[in-house]
Amino acid sequence: MSVSEPEITSVTDLTDKELTLQWKTIDWSKAEGIVNNLQSRIASAAKEGNWKKVSKLSRLLTHSYYARALAVRKVSTNKGSRTPGIDGVLWTSSGDKMRAVLQLKSKGYHAKPLKRKYILKKNGKLRPLSIPTIYDRAMQTLHALALGPVESATSDKTSFGFKPYRSTKDAFAYLNICLSKKNAPQWIVEGDIKACYDEISHEWILANTLMNKKVLKEFLKSGYIENYHLFPTENGTPQGGTISPIIANIVLNGLDTILAEVFYSWNNGTIDKKHRNKHRVNFVRFADDFVITADSPETAHKILDIVKTFLEPRGLTLSKEKTLVTHISDGFTFLGWNFRKYKGKLLTKPSKESQKDIITKIHDVMYKARARSQSELIRLLNPIIRGWAQYHNHAISSAIFKKLDHIMFIMLVSWARRRHPNKGFAWIMAKYWHRIGKWKHAFSTDSQTLERFSNMKIIRHRLAKLDKNPYIDRDYFERWRVIEHYRKKQISYSKSSLN
């Protein structure tokens, strides 16, 4: 490495006070710089197909003191840091974290079984969630630092899930480009993989994932505990493991290339640029959700056959109920948005399911807060309203924002009437709604005002270049993010001035 790392001291030779001091004196800026540099070299080597160099650099990264420190910091500060595994251990003190850094080693590593929990899905079914111990999460995060650049360098260009600087809005923007033109494809293949994370073939993962096989096998074969019984994990990668999204991406990568080989026009081994994509096949994926466009129902069904053949050796199948071939005039839902053409014009709006979900969520919060004060209710609702509106503020959402504001007003009146059953509507309005700026009736207190969906400005999202790699072209993405931030801020300011 170009920058020397500190000499590693045995954890048994240090007291808690010394461990705490060592953790607090870590130069995090230096640590991130060293890890970023190694990740960039790994991604470049993977892009060139130099797998021997990739293996060497990956081993260097996973043995790095600074990479271990970053892995421990990430798992001890994220949302799941307070959720223990089966051993009940959490890293709360600086001494605990530093001790973990010194003990985090691949040699002789054995993963502990996962703690099984279930979360409710939208369809009412239960989704299994497997929680590793915090040590195992740190080990997965450490190896994810090396595996992420490999996956990114070899992935489909239009796969946007679980990548730095990429988001669902990028998938939205690319799909919007594909479908908005007059000669755009009219048929859509909506793909849904049945129990993707639970059914992936371990044999395929072990044969095709470029990382320490012993450590990877420990991740996959750790088993899980449910009702005090130990069950084996024969297939799949656990939902709850920090490395699982990267492994899932590796499993699903390559479909775009296969579609291009089948449907693109080729001339002596090179793509015929004049008739490059005559079947108008465009592929967009975010995690295990994907959409493929086509010029006809025949092409769409041929695509489905190719996808099934692609998934079979990976141990995966398509869901018969949720995998559909749809005409654009009928519309389809993807990542919470509805894409549909009305008289030849594409309109993308928040889906009805997404609207229903936010209304239900707000209703549940209000019901649970029926005995709380107005200021407490505002504090609970504002992050929910702001987050949902920000997620949809690049779509055609103005009318829906106003509709949701109206529904929320009715719900708030009902909440207030429950508190004051003997008071009239005028008294309730005077107590809870006040004039704030341009708003004649704002649900507010002296210090707090409830957000409105319609306060969020509609700002189109611009797609960063698809041929740029977030690990190799980090400077490009940093500049792009700054430019986009100021562009959106300027548009928001100009719209506020007009209002």
Side-chain angles (χ1 to χ4, degrees):
M1 292 179 67
S2 57
V3 182
S4 60
E5 295 193 347
E7 186 178 344
I8 306 299
T9 309
S10 174
V11 68
T12 56
D13 297 335
L14 298 172
T15 64
D16 283 343
K17 189 174 181 180
E18 289 171 326
L19 287 168
T20 299
L21 180 62
Q22 195 169 341
W23 175 263
K24 290 183 177 179
T25 54
I26 293 175
D27 187 342
W28 294 110
S29 178
K30 180 180 178 181
E32 288 173 356
I34 290 172
V35 171
N36 288 346
N37 177 263
L38 274 172
Q39 288 181 316
S40 178
R41 292 167 64 188
I42 291 169
S44 297
K47 190 175 181 180
E48 295 166 2
N50 190 342
W51 304 116
K52 187 176 180 179
K53 188 176 180 181
V54 169
S55 297
K56 183 180 177 181
L57 291 170
S58 297
R59 187 179 186 281
L60 193 61
L61 179 56
T62 54
H63 285 74
S64 165
Y65 166 80
Y66 286 121
R68 285 187 278 167
L70 286 172
V72 169
R73 186 178 71 160
K74 185 173 182 179
V75 300
S76 60
T77 55
N78 62 16
K79 289 183 179 179
S81 62
R82 296 182 182 180
T83 305
I86 59 163
D87 58 0
V89 174
L90 293 175
W91 297 332
T92 54
S93 69
S94 298
D96 291 337
K97 296 170 189 177
M98 193 64 230
R99 188 177 290 107
V101 172
L102 300 176
Q103 292 176 337
L104 201 64
K105 297 178 182 179
S106 301
K107 187 177 180 180
Y109 169 70
H110 293 287
K112 292 183 179 178
L114 309 162
K115 183 167 73 173
R116 177 61 62 94
K117 283 189 174 181
Y118 291 90
I119 55 175
L120 191 65
K121 295 169 67 175
K122 290 180 181 179
N123 58 9
K125 295 181 180 179
L126 294 174
R127 172 180 290 155
L129 186 66
S130 301
I131 304 170
T133 65
I134 194 164
Y135 182 89
D136 291 333
R137 293 202 293 270
M139 185 63 76
Q140 289 188 27
T141 303
L142 176 63
H143 283 270
L145 289 173
L147 190 60
V150 179
E151 185 279 320
S152 184
T154 57
S155 72
D156 299 327
K157 288 184 178 180
T158 52
S159 167
F160 300 101
F162 306 110
K163 287 180 170 59
Y165 305 103
R166 294 295 188 185
S167 68
T168 54
K169 291 191 176 186
D170 291 301
F172 172 95
Y174 180 76
L175 196 53
N176 207 57
I177 291 169
C178 296
L179 297 172
S180 58
K181 297 177 183 178
K182 287 185 179 179
N183 62 343
Q186 300 293 306
W187 293 91
I188 311 296
V189 177
E190 300 176 63
D192 185 271
I193 300 172
K194 188 176 180 181
C196 178
Y197 283 86
D198 299 327
E199 299 297 333
I200 299 172
S201 166
H202 282 184
E203 289 73 20
W204 195 96
I205 295 173
L206 289 166
N208 294 275
T209 305
L210 194 66
M211 66 170 282
N212 187 315
K213 301 300 181 185
K214 290 182 179 179
V215 174
L216 179 58
K217 195 169 184 178
E218 286 293 324
F219 292 159
L220 298 174
K221 302 292 186 180
S222 59
Y224 66 92
I225 290 180
E226 184 178 4
N227 297 326
Y228 304 101
H229 288 84
L230 177 63
F231 297 90
T233 46
E234 301 295 343
N235 295 302
T237 178
Q239 293 189 56
T242 55
I243 203 171
S244 295
I246 297 174
I247 292 174
N249 268 344
I250 290 171
V251 171
L252 297 175
N253 280 337
L255 182 55
D256 192 23
T257 304
I258 293 172
L259 291 171
E261 289 173 355
V262 175
F263 292 105
Y264 281 22
S265 297
W266 296 81
N267 186 9
N268 296 326
T270 59
I271 295 176
D272 182 0
K273 293 183 179 180
K274 191 174 181 180
H275 303 94
R276 174 187 174 92
N277 191 5
K278 63 181 181 180
H279 293 287
R280 300 188 181 96
V281 176
N282 300 287
F283 173 74
V284 186
R285 180 169 68 82
F286 191 94
D288 58 337
D289 294 323
F290 66 88
V291 167
I292 307 172
T293 65
D295 63 338
S296 66
E298 292 76 23
T299 302
H301 285 97
K302 188 176 180 181
I303 288 170
L304 278 176
D305 292 336
I306 292 169
V307 173
K308 289 174 185 176
T309 304
F310 172 82
L311 294 176
E312 189 176 351
R314 292 158 172 81
L316 300 173
T317 57
L318 291 172
S319 169
K320 292 181 180 179
E321 299 80 15
K322 297 180 181 179
T323 301
L324 307 170
V325 174
T326 311
H327 194 271
I328 191 64
S329 61
D330 297 324
F332 67 96
T333 298
F334 184 60
L335 301 176
W337 297 293
N338 180 260
F339 295 76
R340 186 177 176 184
K341 275 193 173 180
Y342 298 83
K343 297 180 179 180
K345 184 176 181 180
L346 180 70
L347 298 181
T348 50
K349 306 175 183 178
S351 67
K352 291 183 179 179
E353 294 83 358
S354 186
Q355 295 175 51
K356 185 179 178 181
D357 288 343
I358 191 63
I359 291 169
T360 302
K361 191 170 185 178
I362 290 172
H363 175 270
D364 291 344
V365 170
M366 286 187 185
Y367 182 78
K368 291 176 182 177
R370 59 192 182 278
R372 296 199 179 194
S373 65
Q374 183 184 15
S375 60
E376 288 177 317
L377 179 62
I378 292 172
R379 180 180 58 80
L380 291 170
L381 288 178
N382 272 348
I384 298 170
I385 296 166
R386 195 181 301 117
W388 194 90
Q390 284 177 346
Y391 185 83
H392 293 285
N393 75 328
H394 61 288
I396 301 172
S397 308
S398 294
I400 291 171
F401 283 172
K402 290 177 182 178
K403 183 185 79 171
L404 291 175
D405 282 339
H406 178 68
I407 293 171
M408 190 166 62
F409 172 76
I410 295 171
M411 293 163 69
L412 288 168
V413 170
S414 178
W415 175 86
R417 278 180 166 166
R418 179 189 289 271
R419 294 170 65 86
H420 308 281
N422 298 322
K423 299 294 184 180
F425 179 74
W427 186 92
I428 287 172
M429 288 295 297
K431 179 173 176 60
Y432 291 103
W433 279 266
H434 308 97
R435 187 181 187 96
I436 303 291
K438 66 178 182 179
W439 302 107
K440 292 182 180 179
H441 304 290
F443 190 78
S444 62
T445 64
D446 293 337
S447 59
Q448 290 179 298
T449 303
L450 184 68
E451 293 275 2
R452 295 189 183 198
F453 290 96
S454 55
N455 285 356
M456 187 63 63
K457 307 301 177 185
I458 305 299
I459 303 173
R460 298 290 173 249
H461 179 77
R462 288 181 180 175
L463 180 65
K465 292 181 179 179
L466 294 176
D467 59 349
K468 297 293 184 180
N469 185 292
Y471 294 97
I472 301 171
D473 308 295
R474 203 181 298 268
D475 290 342
Y476 164 81
F477 281 99
E478 286 294 340
R479 289 196 304 272
W480 174 82
R481 186 163 64 178
V482 170
I483 291 168
E484 279 297 285
H485 171 75
Y486 281 104
R487 180 184 73 86
K488 291 177 180 179
K489 191 174 181 180
Q490 189 175 18
I491 293 172
S492 181
Y493 175 78
S494 63
K495 288 186 176 181
S496 298
S497 301
L498 289 171
N499 292 333

